Structure formats: C-alpha cells, structure tokens
Amino acid sequence: MNVVETIERSVIQTENLQFYYGTHHALKNINLKFEEKKITALIGPSGCGKSTFLRTMNRMNDLIPGVRTEGAIWIGNENITEPSIDPVELRKKVGMVFQHASVFPFSIYENIAYGPRTHGERNKKVLDEIVEENLRAAALWDEVKDHLDHPATGLSGGQQQRLTIARTLATKPEILLMDEPTSALDPISTAKVEDLIRTLKERYTIIIVTHNMQQAARISDFTAFFLNGEVKEYGQTATLFSNPLFSETKDYIAGKFG
Amino acid sequence: MSAKSTDRLATAGLYVIVGIIITVLAGLLGFVFVKGIPQLSWQFITTPPQIFKEGGGVGPQLFNSFYLLVLTLMIAVPIAIGAGIYLAEYARDHWIIRCIRVLIEVLSSLPSIVVGLFGFLFFVLYMGWGFSILSGAFALSLFNLPLLVRVVEQSIRNIPKSQREAGWALGFSKWETITTIILPAALPGIVTGVILASGRVFGEAAALIYTAGMSTPIIDFTNWNPLSPTSPLNPFRPAETLAVHIWKINGEGIMPDAAAISDGAAALLIISILFFNFTSRFIGNLMFKKMGAN
Ligand SMILES: Nc1ncnc2c1ncn2[C@@H]1O[C@H](COP(=O)(O)OP(=O)(O)OP(=O)(O)O)[C@@H](O)[C@H]1O
Ligand SMILES: [Mg+2]
C-alpha cells in the first residue's frame, strides 16, 4: 500500500481504519489521504468494501446493528470516528449521493427546500433562492424551472439523480460522497451527471465509487483500487491506469475479473 | 385429464365460488336496502325516536354515532401512530417486543362484547365515568387499536429503506426523518386504515351496550357547550348509537312501527359504512397522486 506523496492539502485522511460487520472484517487497515477539491475514484470488484468505506466517512454504517469501527478518520483536525462527534451534524458536512436516486415523494421544490427548512430556514424568499441556486448548480434548473410544483417522481432517472445531487448541495456540504451515481442511468444522462461532477470539483472534495473504468479515467484525479477489503493500489488516475504497479490492478482495469 | 382441462375446471370452480359470494352479498345488501330505503326521510334522520307512537326518527342516534367516532379516532389514532412508529422504526427483535406483538394479536381477536365488559368494569365503574360517550370511545379505541397499530406499522415499513438513508445522509436525525419523510409518505396507507376502522366503529354495538349505554337523554342541538348536561357534545352523557338502537328496538321496541324503524336505521348504517369505504379509497388515491407516488 503506497500513500500518494503528491497530496499536500488533504482534507480527509484515514489511519489504520478497520471495519467489521459482526465478525466479518470488511475493511482492513485502510490508510488513504484525499486531496481538497479533487475527485478520487474508488474502484474494485463487487463486495470488496467500496460502499462500506464510503459509508464510514459519514457514519451511515452506525445505523446497522452489530458493526464496529477501529482506527481514525480525520476530517480537518477532527477524528470523526470519536463517539463525541454527532453523526447528524457530520452528515451535513459530508453529503452522500446514492446509486438509486431516492427522491422524496414531494414536489421538485420541496425536495430541495426540505433540507434547509428542517435545518431552520423559514424565510420563503431565501428558500426560493436556495432552490434556484442548487438546481442551477446541479444543471437542472432550465429543465424544471417551469414546473417546480410537480411531483419529483415524475422526472426521468437522470433528472432525479441530478435532483438528489442538488438536494445534497442545499445542505452546504464540504465533501461529497457518491456511490455509483450513474450506474442506473442511460449514456446521455450519465454524460450530464459526469459533466456536473466535474464542475462541482471547483467547490467540493469528491469521492466517487464507480464500476465504469472509462468514467473513473474521465473524471477522477486520483484512483484507489480496492481488493478484498484492502487498498491494493492508490495513485494519480493517469499513472494508475497507464502504469499500474500490481498485476491485479492491471487485470481489473482490463476487465479480466470483477 | 390434460393440463388444459384441469385449468378450465379450476377456473370454472373459482368463478362459481366468486359467484356465490357476490350473490350472498348482493342479496344481503338488497334485502336491507329494499326494506330500509323507503323508510328514509329527512324527518327520519333528524328527529328523536318516539317511545309509544309511530313516526319517530333516529336523529340523536345518528349524531351519537358520528360523535363517538370522532372521539374514538381522537384517542386511538395518535396512540396507534406512536405505537406504529415505535414498532416499525425503533423496536429491536427482543422478547419483550415479541410479547407485545402477541398481545396485539390477542387483543385484535377479542370479541367486542369482552372489550365492552372490560370497558364497563374499568371506564364505567372504576374510573367512574358512568354510561357515557367517553367510556364508549375508550372501549372502542381499545377495540380498534390493534388494527390501527398494524396498519400504521405496515404503512411505515412499506416506505423503502432508501428514503430513510436519504434523510439520514442529508443530516436529519432519525426522528426528523420519520416525521418529515416517512410519515408523509406513509400517510395514504394510514388514512385508508383509519377510515376502515371508522367503519368498524360505526357498526359496533356489543362493545357499546355496557359502555356508552342504551339511552340518550333529551339533548338540545342548539346548546354547544360541552360542559352542559343537555349539550350534544357533553362527553359524559349516555349515548345510544345507531347500531345499538337497532339492537335495542329489535329486542324491546314498543313503538308500533318498530320494525320499519329498525329497517330504516339498518339501511342508514350500511350507507354510512359504504360511504366510509368509498371515501377511504378516494382519499387514499388522491393522496397517492398528490404525493407523486405511483
Ligand atoms: N449490512 C451489511 N451487513 C453485513 N455484511 C455486509 C453489509 N453490507 C455489506 N456487507 C459485506 O461487506 C462486504 C463489502 O460490501 P460493500 O457493499 O462495501 O462492497 P462494494 O465494494 O460496495 O460492492 P459493490 O461493488 O457490489 O457495491 C461484502 O462482503 C458484503 O457482503
Ligand atoms: Mg457498493
């Protein structure tokens, strides 16, 4: 396991991170640094622990009974695995987008306004602005601005995914975790979401799980290759794809297993 | 016999069974309606009954049925929502929880007369509320809670896990996620259940005989002060409902037109219950549409 030396301003760093589902040791000694305002792709065969790793960073795994985390995850200068960290507050800073867009069965407007309102914003004008700003940021505004009151479930799959991204942005996160955000989408919607992710890089640190090697190559700056709960190889995407250190990495990228 | 003819035979068998059920139902409804609907008139549904003379109505009884229904729902629905949320979202698999579930099952299969007798001992005598709407409402709440709790729990469980995770990932506490995402999404199912329970409350007699009583004092429909003894809203007055009234006049009605009144009241009762069933579907559908679910 080699830590990337070029990373200087890391915002997230894991230290000997171990994770267990009961007795199943799902993450083994993960030491990774993620650079600020860059996109890092997590790749690896099914079941190797990518989602588990992503979910340790916003403590979503806490909600599963019988799990255990060891080691540290530093975000800024806080170790977020400490019991003193409130996971609810943490999740406002560390946003997450899922594989299947789970829009709420409310209107498009409500899907975005819902978060800020529950977090205390009551001013209708401010909420209007938040909705517009984040729909624009998610490149969805032009498509939906005339029917914000329509049910969000009526949108296409790609639009729904961009809506969930807008919804996540509305809680003003600093870090975005994305778990296979385009794997349920058609190629055109995928291209739109990828464009969006690239523009989001200016403001957010992004970690994205993907099974699509071209996608990882197209959008990410760094790539971590997971295998059986361990990080087998980590480096700049261009290097890792053109010059992998390990034969497993090479075979996986070439589609020989996974 | 070839697979095809077995299939035909089975299909024919099922049609016959369905046919029998529909005939029995239609016969029952037809019988009640043919005998009862001619008795219905504005005067019948607004005036009080006569004890010795012809031409009495069922006005107070109809009002009592609705009032009892409202009170029962006001008691039972909040409890059911609380218990349903707990069972669906918080309860772990533990022997105490399993006991609670068994108790709910048992309670849901208690005959209503038993619930009525319990209500008599506890609410009427022990609590000292006498034969009153309040005693009746509590007894019926007890009677309907198991059904309601199960409906609420099931409606909540039907909301996919992804919705909860989406809420948590946005930085909502578990409670915020439940109250602002899960409950609104589960509302159509809950409403359907509540209205079906309403039908049961409206048609219930056995549990009310010993709790809400079999008489209605003279009430003054212009007096809406709930504390006044002659007010229809007074929860401590006895209140005979439509269903109890039917039961009573069939047993001891001494007015000359007792049979006709009981027919009319029966038709009125069934119309009200059908009304609940259809509104339940209608409101449920409306909510599904409004919430954008498909
Ligand atoms: N809730 C859970 N309880 C128990 N074991 C789990 C749970 N979730 C995942 N696992 C196990 O942990 C391991 C890693 O799973 P994880 O979902 O992180 O893999 P992944 O790399 O995201 O796979 P995929 O590419 O298929 O999404 C797997 O062996 C899986 O069976
Ligand atoms: Mg996964």
Side-chain angles (χ1 to χ4, degrees), chain A residues 55-63 75 78 80-96 114-115 118-120 168 171-175, chain B residues 90 164-178 180:
Chain A
R55 293 162 60 97
T56 55
M57 284 186 283
N58 65 348
R59 298 217 355 214
M60 285 289 277
N61 288 325
D62 285 18
L63 296 147
I75 295 186
E78 280 181 322
I80 59 114
T81 63
E82 292 286 335
S84 62
I85 297 285
D86 177 4
V88 172
E89 286 304 313
L90 171 70
R91 291 182 201 126
K92 291 177 195 168
K93 269 203 318 206
V94 185
M96 187 166 212
Y114 164 73
T118 312
H119 293 324
T168 305
T171 60
K172 297 196 190 307
E174 291 157 23
I175 296 159
Chain B
Y90 289 94
R164 285 152 236 260
E165 296 209 320
W168 297 332
L170 284 174
F172 298 114
S173 64
K174 198 167 173 180
W175 181 244
E176 284 171 332
T177 306
I178 291 168
T180 60

Side-chain angles (χ1 to χ4, degrees), chain A residues 90-110:
Chain A
L90 171 70
R91 291 182 201 126
K92 291 177 195 168
K93 269 203 318 206
V94 185
M96 187 166 212
V97 174
F98 300 88
Q99 178 177 10
H100 292 284
S102 49
V103 297
F104 299 131
F106 314 141
S107 69
I108 296 169
Y109 182 97
E110 280 306 314

